[in-house]
Amino acid sequence: MSLMQRTSKIVSVLLLAILAGGPSAAKDVPAQVINWPATGAPVVRVTLGKIKEVSSIGGQRNYMIDTAVENLWGKKISRLTFSLYLFDKNKARIGEGWLNVENVTPGQTVKFQTMIGTSGVPVSAELEPSSLPKELQ
C-alpha cells in the first residue's frame, strides 16, 4: 500500500469557530497547524492562518485563507499537491480548495493565499495528498 493510499484521510480540523462566525470571528482564531503525514516523521507542516470571507450570494461563500507550507523533510520537494475538502455539519462535502508547492528546499516555508468556495457553512476540513513526488509514494 502506497503512502498516498495510507494517508487518503490525513487530518480533520474543526473550522466551525472560524468560519461560522464570519469574517470578524476569523481574525481572532489561532492558526490551524497540520503536519503531514499524520503518522511517522512529518514531511511538511501546513498552517491555515487568517480566514477572510471575500464574497457570498445566497448559500455560496468564498473564503481566502492565508496559508504556509514548510518543508520538514531533509530533501527538496519537487512538487506536492493537496486537496483541501470542506464539510458541513452533516459531513456532506460542500467545498474544495487546492494547495500546491514546487521546488521547496529543506527548511523553507512557502506562503500564499488559498481561495475556497463553498455551498454552505463549513464546520470541518480534510487535507488529502493528490500529487506526491516519486520518493514519497
Side-chain angles (χ1 to χ4, degrees), residues 53-131:
E53 184 174 327
V54 293
S55 66
S56 65
I57 186 165
Q60 301 291 316
R61 293 187 168 123
N62 291 304
Y63 297 96
M64 186 72 69
I65 303 173
D66 289 339
T67 307
V69 178
E70 179 183 0
N71 181 354
L72 303 175
W73 200 28
K75 299 178 182 180
K76 179 180 176 180
I77 297 173
S78 57
R79 180 183 176 122
L80 183 59
T81 304
F82 289 101
S83 293
L84 180 62
Y85 299 115
L86 301 179
F87 299 87
D88 68 10
K89 65 182 179 181
N90 297 317
K91 304 283 186 199
R93 190 166 83 186
I94 60 168
E96 181 174 354
W98 296 269
L99 309 178
N100 181 57
V101 293
E102 295 181 2
N103 301 316
V104 185
T105 58
Q108 183 179 28
T109 299
V110 178
K111 294 182 178 183
F112 52 94
Q113 292 184 317
T114 304
M115 182 69 143
I116 299 180
T118 69
S119 59
V121 178
V123 298
S124 65
E126 291 179 1
L127 186 64
E128 183 177 318
S130 56
S131 174

Side-chain angles (χ1 to χ4, degrees), residues 24-47:
S24 61
K27 296 177 191 173
D28 302 326
V29 178
Q32 299 292 314
V33 178
I34 304 166
N35 287 331
W36 181 87
T39 59
V43 173
V44 295
R45 176 174 294 129
V46 176
T47 303

Side-chain angles (χ1 to χ4, degrees), residues 5-18:
Q5 291 169 332
R6 287 182 295 180
T7 59
S8 65
K9 188 174 183 182
I10 299 301
V11 172
S12 290
V13 287
L14 295 176
L15 296 176
L16 179 60
I18 298 170

